[in-house]
Amino acid sequence: MIDPQGKGSIIRLFHVHKNYGAVKALSDVTVDISKNDFLFITGPSGAGKTSLLKLLYYGEPVSEGQVLIDGMNLSRISHKRIPMLRRKFGIVFQDYKLIPTKTVFDNIAIVLETIGKKRRFIEKKIRSVLRTVGMENSIHSLPPTLSGGEQQRIAVARAIVGDPKIILADEPTGNLDEDSATVILDLLKKFHTRGATVIIATHDKELIRKTGGRVIYLKQGRILPIIPPQNVRQ
Amino acid sequence: MIIYFKRAIKDILEHRFLSAVTVVTISISILIASAFTLFFINANAIVNSWKKGIRIMVYLKPDIPDIKVTAIQRNIREMKGVKDVRFISKKEALKRLKDQLGRQSSLLDNLKENPLPDAFEIQLMETFQNQDKIEKLAARLGSLKPVDEVEYGQVWLGRFTNILNLFRLTGFAMGSLFLVATVLIVANTIRLVFYSRQKDVEIMRLVGATDGFIKAPFYIEGLIQGALGGIIGLGALFVLFMFISSNMGRELTSSLFTIRFLSWETFLGIWGCSMFVGWIGCFVSLKQFLKP
Ligand SMILES: Nc1ncnc2c1ncn2[C@@H]1O[C@H](COP(=O)(O)OP(=O)(O)O)[C@@H](O)[C@H]1O
Ligand SMILES: [Mg+2]
């Protein structure tokens, strides 16, 4: 499963441990994720799925072990380079992390403004991604006026607007009804076919079964070596 | 750039009360600092204009031959601290006196003989305009043989300059103290605004914003507050200045000296300082945030 050369892999975790004080969230996790993978991280609540994602974009530092992202070694990353690292990712957070006092447009625009895109481009691009997620009518709304599912779609729009190499989604369908969940999943798949690496953390086995793809099982912070085959549709 | 401005203005409006307090504090500091500056610029100008009047008069004994007079003049010109020497013959002196007396000059018409002595008027170099040096020079002049009497006045100006310097020092100290206090107040405002924005800042960082991108609006906010405070402080000074100078009485101000408002350069300089204070305040408060 692990390619020792690491060729073609965009993410490598090597004997990673993550502790929050006395809580061991992840123990001895070694994973290799290749470019253009479509990967599920699953396991019961509290298994360490969110923690694992956080390590990738340096939302949290590792306690032990090595994390390599697209050629960057996160144990040696300087404060200055963290934004560079994060621009490789488009992240759909479990709690969306939308700024409540900024409009949908302004929330999404930050991603493009910070990399110095022109106003004209930003407007066009945002309209286009909002159309993709079916939220073009909410462009000037404030996030708190939207439903959970709608906010989630805005979060997806923000994640894909910068055309990132890697998309991380933490329980992206947690607040959605069946149909909306399918829409979001289709979007992520579309991004995958365009060349992005997609990593989805979810406890929803049904979702994985319907979608298919590589699966990593976490339990109490450890990767289970056996992938129950009945859960993967080929 | 425009985005940063928009964000800064939004922040200011959202924290109206805090921003207003900061701007008022800056204006008061600027008002005090610029009032001191205004005072010194004018006091300096006045003292300098008076200093131009510092001179030594050397009166000669009667009937010194012309050749000797030129020799003495040359001699005096060589002395240290002397800028210029002018010979004033007794004839010229009498004419000056008549001019000064104006209508009453007829009193002098009855004189049989010119009672005034020949004299030298000595202008001093600027560096020589203090009591010690003037007294030494006067003693030297007095020891010359043909010299009858040496006269000099306004030596007290030298002492006045010292007092003025002491005032200047106090002004400097007070001004700096106020500016430091202002920097801290601006820093505090920015800190509070920053705290209220911390969640947003965290989100921005998660989606790849650099520290520069996050900080820029805060700097602009500091600059705007500095600019506003500065212009209000300087405006208040101008109003006060107009009020005081129009109440001082025209005859007093125009005959003895003219007081002036700050020159454009000084005005802009102080305004620039005020913006700098806003900027520095921001720098101080943001330095401790955004650390890894
Ligand atoms: N910031 C934190 N501080 C302390 N403990 C945490 C923190 N984040 C997560 N944990 C703990 O780490 C474990 C894994 O959590 P998490 O990664 O959120 O799991 P999952 O996303 O799979 O539900 C849990 O026991 C959780 O309580
Ligand atoms: Mg989670």
Side-chain angles (χ1 to χ4, degrees), chain B residues 213-244:
Chain B
F213 180 83
I214 291 166
K215 282 179 185 171
F218 292 101
Y219 276 110
I220 291 176
E221 203 174 318
L223 283 176
I224 290 176
Q225 286 173 344
L228 274 178
I231 208 73
I232 292 172
L234 287 164
L237 181 71
F238 185 70
V239 170
L240 272 175
F241 171 82
M242 290 310 264
F243 183 74
I244 290 171

Side-chain angles (χ1 to χ4, degrees), chain A residues 46 48-51 94 170-171 201:
Chain A
K49 305 180 292 292
T50 302
S51 298
Q94 191 165 5
D170 199 353
E171 311 283 359

Side-chain angles (χ1 to χ4, degrees), chain A residues 112-168:
Chain A
L112 300 174
E113 284 166 353
T114 193
I115 52 174
K117 292 288 184 208
K118 291 265 182 327
R119 193 77 195 159
R120 202 88 77 61
F121 173 85
I122 292 176
E123 272 176 27
K124 241 173 79 182
K125 184 83 185 179
I126 289 178
R127 274 178 209 288
S128 139
V129 288
L130 283 178
R131 217 173 299 125
T132 314
V133 298
M135 292 294 293
E136 65 266 47
N137 291 327
S138 303
I139 190 162
H140 298 302
S141 309
L142 291 174
T145 65
L146 304 174
S147 74
E150 287 171 326
Q151 290 186 42
Q152 196 141 28
R153 283 198 256 172
I154 303 304
V156 171
R158 184 182 60 188
I160 61 179
V161 76
D163 294 317
K165 285 186 173 177
I166 308 162
I167 292 186
L168 305 180

Side-chain angles (χ1 to χ4, degrees), chain A residues 1 13 15-19 23-31 40-52 55 64 215-228:
Chain A
M1 184 170 139
L13 275 76
H15 299 297
V16 164
H17 295 253
K18 176 65 195 174
N19 309 322
V23 181
K24 288 180 192 276
L26 292 170
S27 304
D28 199 23
V29 171
T30 298
V31 191
F40 283 104
I41 299 171
T42 189
S45 179
K49 305 180 292 292
T50 302
S51 298
L52 182 56
L55 294 184
E64 220 181 288
V215 183
I216 288 176
Y217 282 88
L218 278 179
K219 197 175 178 192
Q220 291 177 343
R222 289 181 184 274
I223 292 183
L224 294 187
I226 311 137
I227 304 167

Side-chain angles (χ1 to χ4, degrees), chain B residues 160-180:
Chain B
F160 189 72
T161 313
N162 289 341
I163 295 171
L164 203 65
N165 279 338
L166 196 72
F167 263 120
R168 196 200 313 259
L169 217 69
T170 326
F172 242 174
M174 275 182 64
S176 321
L177 213 70
F178 266 99
L179 289 187
V180 169

